[in-house]
Amino acid sequence: MNDFSSNQRQDWKRGAQNGYGGLDKSGRGPSKKNRRRHTPIWLMVFADTIAIGLFLCVFSYFHHVNPIYRHDDPIELPQSTTAPSSINAADPTPSGASPSASPVPTDEAAGNFAGKFLNVGEAPIKTATTYKSENVNVTIETRNAGSAVYHIADIYVTDVKFIKTAMAGGEYGSSWKNRAPVNEIGASVNAFVAINGDQCTAHREGVVVRNGTLYRDTVYRDVCVLNYDGTLETIPQAQFDISSIKEKGAWQVWSFGPMLLDNGKPMTQFNSDVMRVNPRSAIGMIEPGHYVFIAVDGRGDSSGMSLEELSKLFYDLGCVTAYNLDGGDTSAMAVDGKIYSTPSGERDATDIIYVGMD
């Protein structure tokens, strides 16, 4: 049976007269020449795949590599002259700490951090893992918690302004293409110890306050605030009030999270999508003026930590507040210009938290 109607054959004949192939020798269908002019399905699929790939590459560039962020003019926040509060000499255990905890050894029972700092005019004392001056006292240790290896910086300061932050390239930018290794950023500001921050310019949202200057005021998940009185607060997104920060000021504000302690107690539920074991970086406060930086190794000889394990660690160290920073391949601790921890990858940081040398 003929598969083509007389009208179809007439169309193919006219096509042949116009140079488009026409019928085959039987007169029943299109010639091979004409059939070859139809684009194969596989080629169409291939072309569509290439087009979609190009679109995704362009999207990824502007969304991840060089995203366009709202970049308001920096605002200098109000500053408080309130110094960090000393603990009650009669009660050396920080509020909220576990009575059975094994906190970083201190002699805080003497009150006012007695013996932690050098006298005015004395030259700083530095070793491979310690630094002591008139204003700061830092001790670095590597410890184990089960199958996890973590690095802890036990930090005392006479004023909260010695807990500093720095950006890759020296200033806040509108893209996370401005990033560098933690130790390089630290070396540029003469840091003794530094950990990665919250990768603030890798996100479109999140409050950014660095060394008393507000750069961005959009809220993202749990927020961590380091106040001028030395208190470290963690605030759920729904409860955070940016107007209070603008009115009262703050020394540092980070936006990554989640918060790791709830009223000084360990947590089991977190505002995060990455609950499993992972390399981690975090900051905690035992009391105003006494802080810890932690970097947890992972994806190698060390297992890393889950958020629940990290929360319990800060509780056991005697912290009343703790906050998770960027982790994974970003997690790193640097001491005196060299990487001290064992990062799982080579992802550079946009910002660091550090304690400098006088």
Side-chain angles (χ1 to χ4, degrees):
M1 176 178 282
N2 195 338
D3 294 330
F4 291 86
S5 66
S6 59
N7 289 336
Q8 287 176 313
R9 285 197 296 274
Q10 290 298 320
D11 290 339
W12 286 110
K13 287 180 180 179
R14 285 192 293 271
Q17 294 172 357
N18 292 318
Y20 297 115
L23 297 171
D24 60 15
K25 292 182 179 180
S26 69
R28 294 181 178 180
S31 66
K32 291 181 179 179
K33 179 179 179 182
N34 190 66
R35 286 198 297 267
R36 286 195 299 269
R37 291 184 178 274
H38 288 273
T39 304
I41 293 178
W42 68 267
L43 185 58
M44 295 173 64
V45 172
F46 178 75
D48 289 344
T49 302
I50 293 297
I52 292 172
L54 289 173
F55 170 79
L56 291 176
C57 286
V58 172
F59 175 82
S60 296
Y61 174 78
F62 285 103
H63 190 269
H64 298 293
V65 179
N66 192 26
I68 301 173
Y69 300 112
R70 200 185 81 191
H71 190 192
D72 297 334
D73 292 333
I75 299 174
E76 295 296 325
L77 295 174
Q79 295 190 26
S80 170
T81 56
T82 304
S85 304
S86 59
I87 66 168
N88 185 336
D91 181 14
T93 302
S95 174
S98 168
S100 60
S102 300
V104 179
T106 69
D107 62 356
E108 291 155 329
N112 201 31
F113 304 159
K116 290 300 178 184
F117 309 107
L118 296 179
N119 296 322
V120 175
E122 289 187 277
I125 301 171
K126 183 177 73 170
T127 71
T129 57
T130 65
Y131 183 81
K132 187 176 183 179
S133 72
E134 298 175 14
N135 297 300
V136 303
N137 185 324
V138 182
T139 301
I140 314 293
E141 289 187 62
T142 297
R143 302 179 182 178
N144 294 83
S147 59
V149 177
Y150 68 95
H151 313 277
I152 179 171
D154 181 34
I155 301 165
Y156 292 85
V157 295
T158 59
D159 191 284
V160 71
K161 291 184 179 179
F162 292 102
I163 303 295
K164 302 178 183 179
T165 53
M167 297 284 184
E171 61 183 7
Y172 178 80
S174 60
S175 170
W176 85 306
K177 67 181 180 180
N178 298 319
R179 58 192 190 275
V182 169
N183 62 310
E184 290 186 12
I185 306 175
S188 71
V189 291
N190 200 33
F192 178 70
V193 63
I195 58 171
N196 62 281
D198 59 3
Q199 294 287 57
C200 57
T201 56
H203 309 283
R204 294 179 180 273
E205 297 179 318
V207 179
V208 179
V209 175
R210 296 295 185 268
N211 302 330
T213 300
L214 174 65
Y215 294 97
R216 192 170 63 201
D217 62 6
T218 52
V219 183
Y220 173 78
R221 293 192 175 181
D222 296 344
V223 180
C224 183
V225 180
L226 182 58
N227 296 300
Y228 280 104
D229 64 359
T231 56
L232 187 74
E233 295 182 90
T234 54
I235 307 168
Q237 178 178 352
Q239 300 175 23
F240 181 76
D241 181 9
I242 187 62
S243 63
S244 176
I245 296 296
K246 292 179 177 179
E247 178 183 348
K248 299 178 181 178
W251 178 235
Q252 314 285 356
V253 178
W254 297 284
S255 299
F256 195 93
M259 57 187 288
L260 297 171
L261 296 173
D262 184 8
N263 291 319
K265 303 298 182 182
M267 300 169 59
T268 57
Q269 298 295 322
F270 304 89
N271 185 17
S272 174
D273 300 323
V274 187
M275 302 277 288
R276 63 186 184 278
V277 294
N278 209 41
R280 303 280 182 184
S281 292
I283 183 173
M285 180 192 75
I286 293 177
E287 63 174 309
H290 187 187
Y291 311 92
V292 291
F293 296 169
I294 286 180
V296 183
D297 294 341
R299 302 175 185 171
D301 294 336
S302 170
S303 63
M305 286 188 182
S306 67
L307 288 175
E308 188 171 351
E309 290 169 334
L310 189 61
S311 174
K312 182 63 165 54
L313 173 62
F314 274 102
Y315 177 72
D316 288 344
L317 290 171
C319 290
V320 295
T321 311
Y323 187 76
N324 184 63
L325 300 161
D326 193 12
D329 289 347
T330 307
S331 178
M333 177 181 286
V335 177
D336 201 13
K338 298 182 178 65
I339 293 296
Y340 183 82
S341 61
T342 304
S344 61
E346 299 180 354
R347 185 163 62 216
D348 294 339
T350 64
D351 60 296
I352 63 169
I353 309 171
Y354 75 97
V355 176
M357 293 181 281
D358 294 341

